[in-house]
Amino acid sequence: MLGAIAGDVIGSIYEWDNVKSKEFELFSSKSRFTDDSVLTIATMDSVLHGNTFEESYKKWFWKYPGAGFSGNFKKWAISNEPYYGFSNGSAMRVSPVGYFCDSLEEVLRMAEDSSAVTHNHPEGIKGAKAVASAIYLAKNGATKKELKDYVEKTFGYELGESIDSIRKWYSFDVSCQGSVPQAIISFMDSDSYEDAVRNAISIGGDSDTIACITGGLAEAYYKEIPEYITERVMGILPDEMKEVLQRFYDEVYSRWMKQ
Ligand SMILES: [Mg+2]
């Protein structure tokens, strides 16, 4: 969703140049979309058109092979074999699943399917399921306390630490178990979409992906993204990505917003 994509774009200039602070420029002339946005769009494309996740991830990878994909993912795009991944790659692309499905059971099943084509390690699958289900609960009006209790109980992530505390020790960790809990806490400790994304980037690490995960969740909960962010991000996205995004909002997002 745009919340995830905007997080990726905002984080794109901080992944290799971490800021351990919430005071930073949201955009620069170097801000760009990365693999996280490309695969989030691919997930939307897949659920909208009924293509398999495998087909869709490959199709979109080949459109933007230089967007920042990992070596493992590139090898998979040629070879086909899942690589037992447990990196946050399974969690950063899953946000549309949380919006698309009509029940928690369906969310968990589809999140697992989307992960397993590449990230068939239990931690990779767990990361995708945790993010997608948290988004599903947030979009349906769960409180932060309910979200926290569900994720801790179901997935065993510990979400009790504050962002100010995490910022002191956190460093680069692309595993699901070493970045998904921090991304969820970035949302928990926030009071708006922008505040959540600032939290996510302020801890350092894999900033584009953490902010992408946090941004998807924050959008589902706060249900609004400031216009100065959406306008800037839409200006960066190519038309074919915007078309998929628009269709997803028209067909899926608006459906539950009306409920
Ligand atoms: Mg990336």
Side-chain angles (χ1 to χ4, degrees):
M1 301 299 300
L2 187 59
I5 291 169
D8 174 44
V9 172
I10 294 168
S12 66
I13 52 176
Y14 297 110
E15 181 182 9
W16 305 114
D17 190 12
N18 278 179
V19 273
K20 286 272 186 178
S21 160
K22 290 177 74 168
E23 302 301 318
F24 56 83
E25 295 295 329
L26 291 175
F27 300 102
S28 84
S29 59
K30 295 201 175 93
S31 299
R32 64 189 184 105
F33 66 86
T34 81
D35 54 322
D36 306 60
S37 294
V38 175
L39 292 182
T40 298
I41 293 285
T43 300
M44 284 180 212
D45 192 17
S46 174
V47 298
L48 282 171
H49 296 103
N51 304 328
T52 66
F53 289 113
E54 185 175 336
E55 284 168 338
S56 197
Y57 293 155
K58 284 190 179 165
K59 174 178 130 184
W60 284 89
F61 164 74
W62 286 112
K63 285 174 185 284
Y64 303 97
F69 291 90
S70 70
N72 279 340
F73 191 93
K74 288 180 186 171
K75 267 188 242 157
W76 169 78
I78 298 164
S79 77
N80 245 353
E81 280 302 303
Y83 48 86
Y84 209 53
F86 56 85
S87 76
N88 48 25
S90 61
M92 56 72 156
R93 67 193 186 202
V94 80
S95 60
V97 169
Y99 288 91
F100 183 75
C101 298
D102 293 320
S103 73
L104 197 50
E105 293 69 37
E106 196 187 351
V107 169
L108 295 170
R109 201 175 337 112
M110 197 180 276
E112 176 157 355
D113 289 348
S114 77
S115 177
V117 291
T118 52
H119 293 62
N120 52 336
H121 186 287
E123 290 292 347
I125 290 171
K126 185 164 94 174
K129 286 165 101 169
V131 171
S133 58
I135 287 173
Y136 174 83
L137 294 172
K139 93 173 183 190
N140 285 312
T143 63
K144 286 184 179 172
K145 168 93 171 58
E146 286 165 343
L147 270 171
K148 178 172 180 279
D149 289 349
Y150 172 79
V151 172
E152 285 188 329
K153 194 164 139 265
T154 312
F155 304 104
Y157 290 152
E158 286 184 19
L159 303 175
E161 193 175 355
S162 71
I163 275 297
D164 288 340
S165 168
I166 292 170
R167 192 180 300 118
K168 291 186 187 135
W169 61 266
Y170 190 72
S171 65
F172 210 88
D173 184 340
V174 298
S175 71
C176 271
Q177 58 273 40
S179 59
V180 171
Q182 290 76 14
I184 297 173
I185 292 169
S186 296
F187 153 70
M188 296 281 179
D189 259 10
S190 69
D191 56 24
S192 68
Y193 175 85
E194 181 177 334
D195 192 42
V197 169
R198 285 187 180 278
N199 278 340
I201 290 169
S202 77
I203 62 171
D206 189 8
S207 294
D208 56 334
T209 299
I210 298 172
C212 176
I213 296 168
T214 303
L217 185 49
E219 180 186 20
Y221 183 84
Y222 296 114
K223 300 183 173 58
E224 59 180 9
I225 302 173
E227 221 171 279
Y228 51 85
I229 293 180
T230 56
E231 272 178 18
R232 184 72 184 253
V233 172
M234 290 302 261
I236 288 171
L237 297 182
D239 285 347
E240 63 177 357
M241 287 173 71
K242 281 193 277 199
E243 279 161 24
V244 176
L245 191 60
Q246 190 58 55
R247 199 168 153 212
F248 198 85
Y249 273 93
D250 290 346
E251 292 187 19
V252 178
Y253 190 88
S254 58
R255 191 177 75 209
W256 65 263
M257 281 298 275
K258 280 186 208 130
Q259 285 169 2

